[in-house]
Amino acid sequence: MPDGARYIALIRHGAYHQKPGAPSALQPFPLTEDGLAQAKACGEALNAALIRESWTLSPVIHASHQLRAWQTAEGIAGVLRKAGHAVSDIAETPRLAERSVGAVANLTATEIETLLHLDPRYDTPPAGWKSDSHYRLPFQDAESLLEAGARVANHLTDVAEAAAAESLTLCVGHGASFRHAAHHLGLLALGDIPQLSMHHAQPLLLCYMGDGRWSHFGGAWKQRQRQETHLD
């Protein structure tokens, strides 16, 4: 990689107590015990990468406002501090949130579809709407997956532009919005997204070379199983 490159770790939160049948979006629930363990293991993996690559660690970890992301960032920070790295802050931001479904946040998909049926202003949603990258629910403050990805991509670019050369910055967020962000950054074809997911609390490393140029540096996307949904 060229001198002066900056590195960003995309980290999907750990496993959490998700409400069954609900598009995950802004669910406020905490990590499970497995999720807490995943966060610590992620911290250990990141420490190994910092040593291996001789990177400096950005002292600010970026995370969405959702508890599962903040707890994951806290678990990672604890491990990195014990390893001697300086972590000064966890900066929470709505720019790293999952795709918002707006006014129907935290309802189940069935409840959302019932509301659409009852409201004469709205059409029946298309089949597979939850995983349709272009579809936006007609409720206030809702986003499409592509719109959420653009928001996240803009934040990642801003973070990378502000970072020091040969540094690693950690961003803890959500699977679907990270995958769509990777599309906006030129790293994933839109047609590949449905086949991919992200492992819980396993860093996927990107390299930013300036002037909007990104590359996939390390870590692997998760190959989606047939029964998995196209969500967080």
Side-chain angles (χ1 to χ4, degrees), residues 33-216:
E33 289 300 316
D34 283 346
L36 293 169
Q38 290 164 349
K40 291 181 180 179
C42 184
E44 293 165 358
L46 289 164
N47 179 52
L50 286 161
I51 294 170
R52 181 179 65 249
E53 304 294 342
S54 299
W55 294 330
T56 58
L57 177 67
S58 171
V60 176
I61 299 177
H62 299 258
S64 80
H65 283 293
Q66 279 54 68
L67 177 57
R68 59 193 184 271
W70 179 85
Q71 283 185 300
T72 302
E74 275 285 298
I76 292 168
V79 171
L80 292 176
R81 287 180 180 125
K82 286 182 180 178
H85 301 285
V87 180
S88 62
D89 188 27
I90 296 173
E92 296 179 73
T93 172
R95 298 180 77 193
L96 285 175
E98 189 58 288
R99 179 265 308 270
S100 175
V101 294
V104 292
N106 302 328
L107 298 183
T108 66
T110 299
E111 289 169 330
I112 292 170
E113 289 166 2
T114 298
L115 290 173
L116 289 169
H117 176 72
L118 292 172
D119 195 320
R121 298 172 297 175
Y122 303 140
D123 295 328
T124 300
W129 65 266
K130 296 189 300 298
S131 59
D132 185 330
S133 296
H134 298 276
Y135 180 72
R136 182 201 307 117
L137 284 164
F139 299 106
Q140 181 176 329
D141 296 329
E143 300 173 292
S144 71
L145 287 163
L146 277 169
E147 288 169 337
R151 165 172 47 75
V152 173
N154 288 337
H155 183 70
L156 297 176
T157 299
D158 289 346
V159 167
E161 291 280 4
E166 303 302 323
S167 66
L168 175 66
T169 305
L170 312 184
C171 292
V172 185
H174 306 268
S177 59
F178 273 150
R179 295 196 307 280
H180 284 80
H183 167 69
H184 285 290
L185 297 176
L187 301 175
L188 285 180
L190 190 61
D192 291 337
I193 293 177
Q195 284 74 52
L196 299 175
S197 180
M198 291 183 74
H199 298 280
H200 285 296
Q202 292 188 24
L204 193 141
L205 301 174
L206 306 183
C207 176
Y208 182 67
M209 297 160 284
D211 298 322
R213 295 174 297 138
W214 290 84
S215 65
H216 179 181

